[in-house]
Amino acid sequence: MLLPSAKVTKESLADQTAHYIREYIIENGLKPGDRLPSMAKLTEAVGVSRPVVREALQILSTLGIVDVRVGEGTFVCPFNLKYLQEYMSYYQAIQPESLEHILEVRLYTELAVVELAMERGKEEDFQRLDRIVLEMESALRSGNVDEMIRLDFRFHEALVQMTGNMFWGHYLKSMIHLFLRQAPHPERMRGPVEEHRRLVECMRRGDVAKAKQIIREHVEAWKNRRP
């Protein structure tokens, strides 16, 4: 079987063709790096012209689903969180009021991540968090905003790695990336650094309730610190 047998009709031929190609990838169990059928085979299977298939592949490429390589073919892409980051940044830019909704999603995502990290984390994981916090304190003393932003991102990366669930990682990192772009003046970063330190202490001693309280305070305080 190449593609689902139904032929596309009406609406946007390119959109429908993109849908069928996506279904082909799923139904045939293609993995990142696998090559799709040639343009000629796709055209014949779907029953549309080559320009329509080309446009459909461009749609899928824009979504980060396939990679069209000139002279080589079309390949399935691995998951890339940059597309989610770009969408969320755009959504927040054109609808500023959406930031409150995104903050709410971030809050409950972080609460789940922290609880899982506490259940699955090992001492070496907590030691890694300790080191990152120490580096954040050093960056704060020197007033290096870019370094503080980089370390904040690393801290959240380390948390999601402790969960062992990379979907949480992609999802949370896309939101953190959005918020870190709006980082305030260094003096207003003292609070977050202290909150990170307290969070690690609570996690290490297994105090789930206190750790979640710190997460809630952290997200609420961010609202007041934003420029």
Side-chain angles (χ1 to χ4, degrees):
M1 171 186 174
L2 181 60
L3 290 170
S5 58
K7 305 295 182 178
V8 297
T9 59
K10 297 184 180 179
E11 296 184 12
S12 166
L13 288 175
D15 285 337
Q16 289 195 44
T17 301
H19 170 76
Y20 284 120
I21 294 173
R22 191 170 63 243
E23 287 300 304
Y24 167 79
I25 292 172
I26 295 170
E27 291 185 13
N28 287 271
L30 296 190
K31 304 299 181 187
D34 288 346
R35 189 200 304 264
L36 271 68
S38 67
M39 178 78 71
K41 289 184 178 179
L42 290 173
T43 299
E44 179 182 359
V46 186
V48 296
S49 65
R50 291 174 69 92
V52 170
V53 172
R54 190 175 296 113
E55 185 179 351
L57 292 175
Q58 183 57 51
I59 290 171
L60 296 175
S61 176
T62 301
L63 292 172
I65 295 173
V66 302
D67 178 21
V68 180
R69 305 175 194 168
V70 178
E72 296 183 45
T74 302
F75 301 82
V76 179
C77 286
F79 181 80
N80 191 329
L81 65 91
K82 79 171 186 177
Y83 298 99
L84 182 56
Q85 290 171 354
E86 289 173 0
Y87 173 77
M88 293 179 71
S89 296
Y90 174 74
Y91 177 52
Q92 195 273 320
I94 63 171
Q95 291 186 255
E97 68 277 9
S98 68
L99 186 59
E100 292 298 320
H101 299 159
I102 297 173
L103 270 171
E104 186 174 59
V105 173
R106 173 188 170 178
L107 170 62
Y108 286 98
T109 301
E110 288 208 55
L111 290 174
V113 165
V114 165
E115 186 166 4
L116 275 176
M118 291 174 69
E119 289 177 6
R120 300 173 180 176
K122 299 179 174 59
E123 177 56 29
E124 55 263 35
D125 297 316
F126 292 111
Q127 290 175 6
R128 184 182 306 115
L129 293 177
D130 286 334
R131 289 193 296 271
I132 295 172
V133 171
L134 286 174
E135 291 180 49
M136 291 178 74
E137 291 171 342
S138 175
L140 178 63
R141 287 192 295 272
S142 64
N144 190 333
V145 177
D146 289 341
E147 180 68 1
M148 282 189 286
I149 291 173
R150 186 185 71 82
L151 290 167
D152 200 336
F153 196 80
R154 268 186 58 201
F155 183 90
H156 288 91
E157 275 191 317
L159 277 180
V160 296
Q161 286 172 4
M162 290 169 71
T163 71
N165 185 326
M166 288 301 101
F167 181 80
W168 278 121
H170 291 309
Y171 196 56
L172 180 58
K173 285 190 289 186
S174 66
M175 284 185 284
I176 297 300
H177 181 270
L178 172 64
F179 295 119
L180 290 181
R181 289 176 56 187
Q182 305 179 46
H185 187 275
E187 284 304 309
R188 303 181 73 183
M189 289 289 283
R190 293 187 183 279
V193 174
E194 175 63 16
E195 289 157 9
H196 284 65
R197 185 185 61 76
R198 289 170 52 222
L199 177 62
V200 177
E201 291 173 354
C202 291
M203 291 177 65
R204 178 178 266 115
R205 65 173 182 262
D207 192 338
V208 178
K210 184 62 176 177
K212 288 188 172 184
Q213 180 184 333
I214 292 171
I215 290 293
R216 291 180 183 278
E217 292 172 353
H218 178 65
V219 173
E220 185 61 34
W222 186 90
K223 296 180 186 179
N224 301 323
R225 283 193 292 260
R226 55 182 166 158

